[in-house]
Amino acid sequence: MLERILPTAKTFIKEVVNAEDILVDATCGNGHDSSFLARLAPDGHVYSFDVQADAINNAKEKYSEPNISFIHDGHENISKYISSPVKAGIFNLGYLPGGDKSITTAYDTTITAVNELFNLLTPGGRIVIVVYHGHDSGKVERDMLIETLSAWPQDQAQVLQYQYINQKNSAPFLLVIEKLK
């Protein structure tokens, strides 16, 4: 049976991560991905970003792995906090589940974050982006990301779109970037 989107996102990350790697959760949300990454790299470190203080505080309460730094700042500021090589990062675009749906990720900050993270990524490292596009700003973000990433030089990165095409209600899909050089 084919894996659903979120388990597949985790599989794409598991395939490249070692215990001592530096990882990024670019959209902390409720902290589930941060905890997953921390368990994947118990001897490494996870940097987890969110613009919403409630998200950071809730994640800190739920997850106490000592190798997570929760950062209350936008993911577009990744390079202010990280200078070490990064092996993988994950984005869950859209809005905070159970939160204020008027606060969403946006293309301009997301593509800045993707570029900053890509610059920190080690060869063979991956960025996995879960695209939720069932709301107006999500549709804009989706279209702009696909347009931008489709033009990335193929000698520097492979960019994959993983999507079920017979699903209703704007089902989420993945964009996976693997750094070549």
Side-chain angles (χ1 to χ4, degrees), residues 80-92:
K80 289 182 182 177
Y81 300 90
I82 307 170
S83 58
S84 304
V86 173
K87 189 59 161 285
I90 188 165
F91 290 73
N92 272 291

Side-chain angles (χ1 to χ4, degrees), residues 54-144:
D54 286 347
I56 293 293
N57 292 334
N58 290 339
K60 281 181 179 178
E61 286 179 21
K62 286 182 188 174
Y63 300 106
S64 59
E65 286 91 345
N67 61 332
I68 302 175
S69 293
F70 290 103
I71 301 165
H72 179 214
D73 200 354
H75 52 212
E76 70 274 16
N77 297 313
I78 286 173
S79 63
K80 289 182 182 177
Y81 300 90
I82 307 170
S83 58
S84 304
V86 173
K87 189 59 161 285
I90 188 165
F91 290 73
N92 272 291
L93 303 181
Y95 50 80
L96 176 65
D100 182 348
K101 292 182 181 181
S102 70
I103 302 171
T104 67
T105 56
Y107 170 75
D108 58 340
T109 56
T110 297
I111 197 61
T112 299
V114 168
N115 280 310
E116 286 197 12
L117 186 53
F118 187 79
N119 289 335
L120 293 168
L121 212 59
T122 61
R126 292 182 180 160
I127 299 171
V128 177
I129 305 167
V130 184
V131 180
Y132 290 92
H133 56 107
H135 55 288
D136 290 342
S137 64
K139 288 173 181 35
V140 171
E141 191 171 32
R142 170 200 66 204
D143 294 346
M144 295 300 296

Side-chain angles (χ1 to χ4, degrees), residues 147-177:
E147 180 181 325
T148 302
L149 296 176
S150 294
W152 274 25
Q154 66 182 19
D155 64 335
Q156 294 178 22
Q158 297 186 99
V159 182
L160 167 73
Q161 183 173 337
Y162 182 92
Q163 179 174 21
Y164 290 99
I165 60 173
N166 67 336
Q167 303 296 303
K168 297 178 182 177
N169 301 320
S170 302
F173 65 91
L174 300 178
L175 296 170
V176 182
I177 303 165

